[in-house]
Amino acid sequence: MKKLSVFLFVIVICIWGYDLFQSEINFPPSTNSSTSINEGDLILINSSYAMHENAIPTDIIQAEQHINYASIDDSSIELSKRLVQPLNAMLKEAREQGITNFAINSGYRTFETQQSLYDELGANIALPAGHSEHQLGLAIDIGSTNGPMGLSEEGMWLAQNSWRYGFILRYPEGKTDITGISFEPWHFRYVGIPHSQILFDEQWVLEEYLAYLKENGSYEMKSHKIIYVSSIDQAKQVANNSPYTISGDNLAGYIVTVKKQ
Ligand SMILES: [Zn+2]
């Protein structure tokens, strides 16, 4: 019995020691990080690039039950759980500023839903199944109950402020030649902070941002450094002991977001 206790004690010490060693050589903890090129907040999905099945969300929830400060008439509207906090915070701030007539009209779509939309509306209006950001659970269509979104206070407020909560106006005016989609003042995509700020400041669409990163290798801000690399091993190395997150771009590489200390 005594021998067994000593044996167990030695095992525990070994495991503890190994853990300690591991934690010393481990990279810093990160959140929402992706290890696949086809996953993450920054993956590009458009008419040319389809989503990979890895990107199908597994945290889908009902919008009606979780989203405040917006009218949601359809109980079948769903979205990724990740959007709940930033979306509620954004709509709350708008409400505090007197902008209150938001309506959530669309959220997560399954492959089948997107397929039926495409069949029903045609290629000029809908994207084929596998090519819509709505299938990621990271896109929402927000309208105004006060008229057309592009002309409403709600649309104008979101266009100016949504970046502060990690969202981008994905299909802005004047970028149709790049996005392939006409101006959609209602479609917001979550990319997370600080990327939403960069896109807003530079007036880039996601296609332009990813092309810039790929070509230049990095983007420097006061608070973060954004680095583009081609392998997951490189992605982990460039963080250099600072907190980081990783997202694939769905094309050829990884975007590492390093928080400056
Ligand atoms: Zn949309």
Side-chain angles (χ1 to χ4, degrees), residues 106-107 109 132-134 139-142 171 184 186-188:
S106 188
R109 294 176 198 156
S132 168
E133 291 186 335
H134 284 281
I140 31 166
D141 291 344
I142 310 177
Y171 308 118
E184 286 196 359
W186 56 84
H187 181 106
F188 290 86

Side-chain angles (χ1 to χ4, degrees), residues 178-230:
I178 303 167
T179 62
I181 305 281
S182 308
F183 178 38
E184 286 196 359
W186 56 84
H187 181 106
F188 290 86
R189 155 81 186 264
Y190 185 78
V191 292
I193 295 167
H195 309 286
S196 53
Q197 182 181 352
I198 297 170
L199 284 149
F200 183 83
D201 286 349
E202 300 284 1
Q203 296 289 292
W204 282 335
V205 289
L206 192 54
E207 284 84 354
E208 293 173 292
Y209 180 41
L210 296 176
Y212 177 92
L213 288 176
K214 198 175 174 198
E215 202 179 315
N216 295 279
S218 66
Y219 183 96
E220 195 91 32
M221 316 170 71
K222 221 174 182 179
S223 58
H224 294 82
K225 184 170 185 180
I226 322 298
I227 306 159
Y228 188 90
V229 292
S230 56

